[in-house]
Amino acid sequence: MRLVDPKVGADSRRGGAGPSDHKAVTIDGVTVMAPVHTAPAFESPYLVEKPDADGRSRIMRDGLFVGEATFPLQPKFYGLKTADGIPYSKIAVLHGRDVLATTVLQTCIRYQSRAKTCQFCAIGQSLAAGRTIERKTPGQLAEVAKAAVELDGVKHMVMTTGTPPGKDRGAAILCESAAAVKAAVDLPIQVQCEPPDDDAWFARMREAGADALGMHLEAVTEPVRARIMPGKAQVSVARYFSAFAAATPAFGRGQVSTYILAGLGDTAEEILAACERLVAIGVYPFVVPFTPISGTPLESHPAPTADFMHAILKPLARMLIGSGLKSLDVKAGCAKCGACSALSTYERSKLQEEAYT
Ligand code: SF4
């Protein structure tokens, strides 16, 4: 979408992991992360006007009114700093309406060279621009999480990490981070990492205080994975599935999820086939439309069409409801937040349809 007033609402994000170059916007009671700094956003037919005195902005398309939007306000915790002078907003940020998100380690072994990097990822951009710090300590995360709960009412937390060189692939730092946050404040946490070398890490992360786990396939077929993320593709789809099977007993059915980016080359049928396998073992497949991020090798790659997403999300919602895996039941994380995809809206429609029949 194009914004007449780019400063409206909470700060947008540029660079970093997750929904970069986006801004949180609430439309019809649903908060989504909408691209605002990407090339397609600059050409979007949707123009969001300046908010009126009540904070409501009209959304126009070709001069016609199509709806209203509001913007979550800048969180109060952004105004605080640690004792050593680091702004809290460099330690964790607000995602969507009520999710605290942090990248515990802002560097990644996959981000060292063009030959290895995941081509959609901007994890190094926010660090290079000084908008975040490289390593968030457990103490800093606990301090910020407590403030975000008390001042802004955040409901859950996402802890992701760049992949460090060790074999645990970040599980150890996620354990110490989750434990510190849980000791400071009662906040459901999702941790996100690549499958570690040893499945014992799943029980360790759960015992440390993580309520949910994300291990993100991103693309579901080996050729697309090898092309789009040559480094990360060294961990095979088969290893992801064995890790999912090992992690689900530790976290519970529906509390392990995976992020799948639609629009990178996998067909709708391939994505749905992978989702069927995931759902069968109790893993929530969070399918998200790919959004090109400025400054990444894929910045000119087109986003998927609405028809393509519809062809995936409609049957996927049916599959999820049929098997009893609902985003509403996820304790923390991206699947619960849902702001990067329309999947939870499709789930709600499916539930309403069933209620009327
Ligand atoms: S779905 Fe995940 S990445 Fe997207 S806004 Fe929500 S917490 Fe952040």
Side-chain angles (χ1 to χ4, degrees), residues 36 343 351 356:
V36 292
L343 180 55
L351 284 170
Y356 289 122

Side-chain angles (χ1 to χ4, degrees), residues 7-355:
K7 290 203 161 32
V8 63
D11 285 349
S12 53
R13 299 179 60 233
R14 283 176 186 265
S20 190
D21 291 2
H22 287 52
K23 188 183 265 289
V25 52
T26 305
I27 302 168
D28 215 8
V30 179
T31 303
V32 294
M33 297 299 280
V36 292
H37 296 304
T38 62
F42 298 140
E43 289 166 14
S44 169
Y46 295 100
L47 181 72
V48 181
E49 295 184 343
K50 275 189 164 187
D52 63 17
D54 296 324
R56 296 180 178 283
S57 295
R58 299 196 310 160
I59 307 172
M60 310 297 285
R61 183 177 177 141
D62 301 329
L64 295 175
F65 173 80
V66 290
E68 252 181 14
T70 56
F71 293 85
L73 297 175
Q74 187 86 316
K76 298 189 187 77
F77 79 86
Y78 278 18
L80 301 180
K81 287 181 179 173
T82 61
D84 46 349
I86 300 168
Y88 279 13
S89 59
K90 290 192 178 187
I91 294 166
V93 291
L94 187 74
H95 276 201
R97 189 165 32 91
D98 55 12
V99 188
L100 184 67
T102 186
T103 302
V104 180
L105 183 66
Q106 200 79 30
T107 52
C108 182
I109 49 164
R110 314 290 186 205
Y111 200 75
Q112 306 298 325
S113 74
R114 267 290 163 93
K116 277 183 162 184
T117 185
C118 299
Q119 296 188 12
F120 48 76
C121 183
I123 191 170
Q125 285 183 16
S126 49
L127 182 62
R131 285 189 292 271
T132 187
I133 56 173
E134 181 174 341
R135 173 78 162 92
K136 289 82 173 177
T137 67
Q140 289 168 339
L141 292 168
E143 185 178 334
V144 176
K146 192 163 185 296
V149 170
E150 289 171 358
L151 298 177
D152 298 287
V154 304
K155 296 286 188 298
H156 54 118
M157 182 167 188
V158 173
M159 278 181 191
T160 193
T161 182
T163 302
K167 287 184 175 176
D168 65 274
R169 300 222 160 86
I173 57 169
L174 291 170
C175 280
E176 60 183 41
S177 305
V181 169
K182 271 289 159 74
V185 63
D186 183 16
L187 184 65
I189 300 168
Q190 184 206 33
V191 290
Q192 303 180 344
C193 60
E194 291 186 29
D197 61 329
D198 181 354
D199 289 342
W201 279 110
F202 300 129
R204 288 182 200 136
M205 287 193 276
R206 180 76 188 97
E207 279 157 23
D211 299 276
L213 169 70
M215 291 186 289
H216 296 170
L217 278 165
E218 326 285 5
V220 300
T221 55
E222 298 290 10
V224 176
R225 291 167 59 77
R227 180 164 51 80
I228 301 288
M229 37 191 213
K232 193 170 162 178
Q234 288 163 10
V235 182
S236 67
V237 173
R239 171 57 190 139
Y240 270 80
F241 271 86
S242 74
F244 291 138
T248 305
F251 283 87
R253 199 179 134 74
Q255 303 306 332
V256 177
S257 59
T258 189
Y259 210 96
I260 295 172
L261 288 166
L264 292 177
D266 295 325
T267 65
E269 293 72 25
E270 286 165 339
I271 291 175
L272 283 168
C275 291
E276 252 184 83
R277 286 182 65 197
L278 291 160
V279 168
I281 54 171
V283 173
Y284 186 98
F286 186 51
V287 179
V288 173
F290 162 72
T291 310
I293 298 174
S294 306
T296 65
L298 289 185
E299 67 177 0
S300 303
H301 187 93
T305 63
D307 285 349
F308 183 74
M309 292 312 298
H310 182 71
I312 297 169
L313 298 183
K314 189 157 194 248
L316 177 55
R318 199 183 315 129
M319 198 191 297
L320 289 167
I321 301 293
S323 62
L325 286 184
K326 297 199 293 290
S327 55
L328 272 176
D329 298 330
V330 179
K331 294 179 191 162
C334 291
K336 182 176 188 67
C337 164
C340 285
S341 170
L343 180 55
S344 57
T345 303
Y346 276 85
E347 278 181 40
R348 270 194 300 280
S349 308
K350 180 67 189 153
L351 284 170
Q352 279 166 2
E353 193 184 301
E354 288 188 356

